[in-house]
Amino acid sequence: MIGRGRPHLSVGDDDVVLITGATSGIGAGLAARFHARGAHVVITGRDLERLSAMAAEHPGMTPIVMDVRDPESVRRAMDDIAASIPHLTTLINNAGVQRPQDFSTQERPAIADIADEIATNFTGLVDVTSAALPLLRLAPRARVMHVGSGLGFVPLTGAPVYSATKAAVHSFTVSLRHQLRRTAVQVVELVPPVVDTPLHRSMKSAPPMAMPLEKFLDATMAGLDSGRDEIAIGLGRVSIIGSRLAPSILLGLINRDGPPR
């Protein structure tokens, strides 16, 4: 629940933070914030060149190629990470992709695009979490943070697969938190509003009411410092509350402008 928290998990020289989808947007921003606090940050993604450039910009970061859609890639990456670090203290499942899909037209949406979106946003998250838990359990205290979305509570109908995967992320997070409640591993769900990031690269301009990335990162780090299990920011919090109190009204408001955001 919003506001429920644990004692602050401070960041120090022995902290190791693993972030998926870390080469741009929220992932890159969080990587830089944890690196500035002195943590050893392991950045992962599919593009070695981009990972290497980011590591060069932030000396001390460790770049690891990992495609969350591919279980074998996840296994290799986690084996490499386990061979070089004593434990993980924070896993941030951030990798994500959003595509507009219209099932009302005669042209069928590409099944490959649908499968890719589900694998990136949900099944990959589950796989990485499962693979990382043994390393997280080695730390005296640790946490997993899943980057969800307000659209997991009230869908954007022009991006139905994305919205559905984020609803699945929320459900998985609740179950995982319950299963790990007697362990030293905290399970956190981050519920962002629309944030001005490359997730919306297909649009000509930033989505309406998009929160600036740095403002969002400030709020995220403050939420982590508070120890809360659920960090809902801006319109993300509105989506959670609205989905419970007035779901049909909020659904209409979110989707009144038509094209996906």
Side-chain angles (χ1 to χ4, degrees):
M1 296 176 61
I2 298 173
R4 180 187 172 197
R6 298 188 181 194
H8 170 47
L9 195 161
S10 59
V11 177
D13 292 338
D14 62 339
D15 283 275
V16 184
V17 180
L18 171 61
I19 305 177
T20 67
T23 57
S24 66
I26 291 172
L30 289 173
R33 293 296 182 98
F34 276 102
H35 180 263
R37 290 187 174 197
H40 176 190
V41 180
V42 181
I43 52 173
T44 70
R46 291 178 286 179
D47 190 326
L48 178 58
E49 185 175 344
R50 292 175 65 187
L51 289 166
S52 299
M54 188 168 174
E57 186 178 347
H58 300 87
M61 283 188 182
T62 299
I64 298 284
V65 173
M66 181 167 70
D67 184 348
V68 301
R69 304 169 302 176
D70 179 1
E72 182 59 25
S73 176
V74 172
R75 185 196 63 78
R76 287 195 305 267
M78 293 306 303
D79 285 348
D80 289 344
I81 293 166
S84 60
I85 61 171
H87 57 231
L88 279 176
T89 54
T90 300
L91 166 65
I92 300 176
N93 278 307
N94 166 76
V97 61
Q98 182 186 110
R99 293 189 177 94
Q101 302 281 1
D102 188 350
F103 291 83
S104 69
T105 66
Q106 293 296 323
E107 183 178 356
R108 179 186 177 190
I111 191 64
D113 287 345
I114 294 170
D116 178 83
E117 199 164 1
I118 294 171
T120 302
N121 297 351
F122 181 60
T123 55
L125 176 148
V126 175
D127 189 19
V128 172
T129 301
S130 176
L133 276 171
L135 282 173
L136 290 160
R137 290 192 180 104
L138 292 176
R141 290 180 59 219
R143 64 188 161 202
V144 178
M145 183 168 76
H146 297 154
V147 179
S149 172
L151 301 181
F153 296 86
V154 181
L156 179 65
T157 59
V161 175
Y162 178 85
S163 300
T165 60
K166 291 303 183 178
V169 167
H170 169 67
S171 180
F172 176 67
T173 303
V174 172
S175 296
L176 185 68
R177 184 181 298 132
H178 185 78
Q179 290 188 1
L180 298 180
R181 67 193 183 281
R182 295 188 179 92
T183 74
V185 181
Q186 180 188 16
V187 180
V188 179
E189 183 175 11
L190 176 63
V191 185
V194 180
V195 181
D196 189 5
T197 73
L199 179 69
H200 311 284
R201 62 175 61 89
S202 62
M203 297 186 65
K204 294 180 180 179
S205 60
M209 301 180 69
M211 179 178 284
L213 178 59
E214 291 303 316
K215 181 178 180 181
F216 170 75
L217 293 172
D218 288 342
T220 299
M221 298 305 289
L224 285 170
D225 288 344
S226 74
R228 297 202 304 271
D229 288 341
E230 190 173 81
I231 305 170
I233 299 172
L235 292 176
R237 183 180 178 87
V238 172
S239 292
I240 293 175
I241 296 171
S243 70
R244 296 164 182 165
L245 300 179
S248 60
I249 292 174
L250 192 56
L251 180 68
L253 288 173
I254 287 176
N255 292 285
R256 64 183 176 181
D257 293 327
R261 297 184 302 192

